[in-house]
Amino acid sequence: MTIAVLAIQGAFAEHEAVLTRLGVDFIELRQRRDLEQHYDGLILPGGESTVQGKLLRELNLFDKLKDQIVKGLPTLATCAGLILLAKQLSNDTLTHFGTLPVTVKRNAYGRQLGSFYTEEDFGDLGRLPMTFIRAPYIEAASPKVRVLAKVNGNIVGVKYINQIGISFHPELNDDTSIHQMFLEMVYNQ
Ligand code: GLN
């Protein structure tokens, strides 16, 4: 099994460290020719979604990656990655892949003071550590979307067919269960 990590901006190295810990092979997606390699799953890391969206288009990665996600490539998207997947943004006119039928609010906890740590239940995984950094949350989700986690009543984790979208940064804590859940999805694909 090989996981492709979008490595154009943001917290990709932290996701790669988790994959290394779990003994999973990965490749980095940095330029168009990287998309010619074989991979079974995709990680869209946190960072700055506006910059990532711009680079995805400039580097000519956008259309093929979107097509792969639409066709079922298992995808784990965290923070800015969730913003890239969202069909709608409540406080931004620009959308990106738009493959996940949710409405996301960027910088939903405020820009500067919006970073915090908490622990909450996540799907069937029990209570997990959650580190939020200028994070978005999900304001509304299509009934077809499974809500996995809420913090203070706001949705912070969802699953929709092959896409897992998370507001926080699971790669910044020692707990690897979200990555393992994603890898299981890739394995069962
Ligand atoms: N605030 C960032 C954005 O809007 C997301 C923050 C993050 O990925 N940690 O893209």
Side-chain angles (χ1 to χ4, degrees), residues 134-151:
R134 289 178 294 106
Y137 62 61
I138 296 168
E139 284 189 330
S142 147
K144 292 178 194 148
V145 170
R146 182 176 167 212
V147 173
L148 296 172
K150 284 187 179 185
V151 169

Side-chain angles (χ1 to χ4, degrees), residues 45-50 78-81 83 106-107 132-136 167 169:
E48 190 51 51
S49 57
T50 313
T78 60
C79 208
I83 296 169
R106 290 186 63 202
N107 298 311
F132 291 79
I133 303 172
R134 289 178 294 106
S167 294
H169 285 263

Side-chain angles (χ1 to χ4, degrees), residues 114-120 127-133 151 168-169 172-175:
S115 301
F116 62 97
Y117 173 87
T118 189
E119 290 175 13
E120 268 304 335
R127 224 171 163 73
L128 294 187
M130 301 181 177
T131 298
F132 291 79
I133 303 172
V151 169
F168 55 94
H169 285 263
L172 297 182
N173 296 103
D174 280 343
D175 191 300

Side-chain angles (χ1 to χ4, degrees), residues 6-10 12 29-31 51-53 55-56 59 61:
L6 183 66
I8 52 175
Q9 193 270 339
F12 55 88
L29 303 182
R30 291 175 181 270
Q31 50 189 324
V51 177
Q52 293 182 359
L55 285 172
L56 279 167
L59 296 166
L61 302 171

Side-chain angles (χ1 to χ4, degrees), residues 55-92:
L55 285 172
L56 279 167
R57 291 169 175 94
E58 283 175 9
L59 296 166
N60 195 22
L61 302 171
F62 188 87
D63 290 341
K64 186 157 183 195
L65 273 182
K66 177 171 175 173
D67 188 55
Q68 290 177 335
I69 298 168
V70 169
K71 288 190 173 138
L73 179 69
T75 302
L76 172 64
T78 60
C79 208
L82 165 66
I83 296 169
L84 292 183
L85 290 185
K87 191 159 220 94
Q88 206 178 336
L89 302 176
S90 61
N91 53 354
D92 201 325

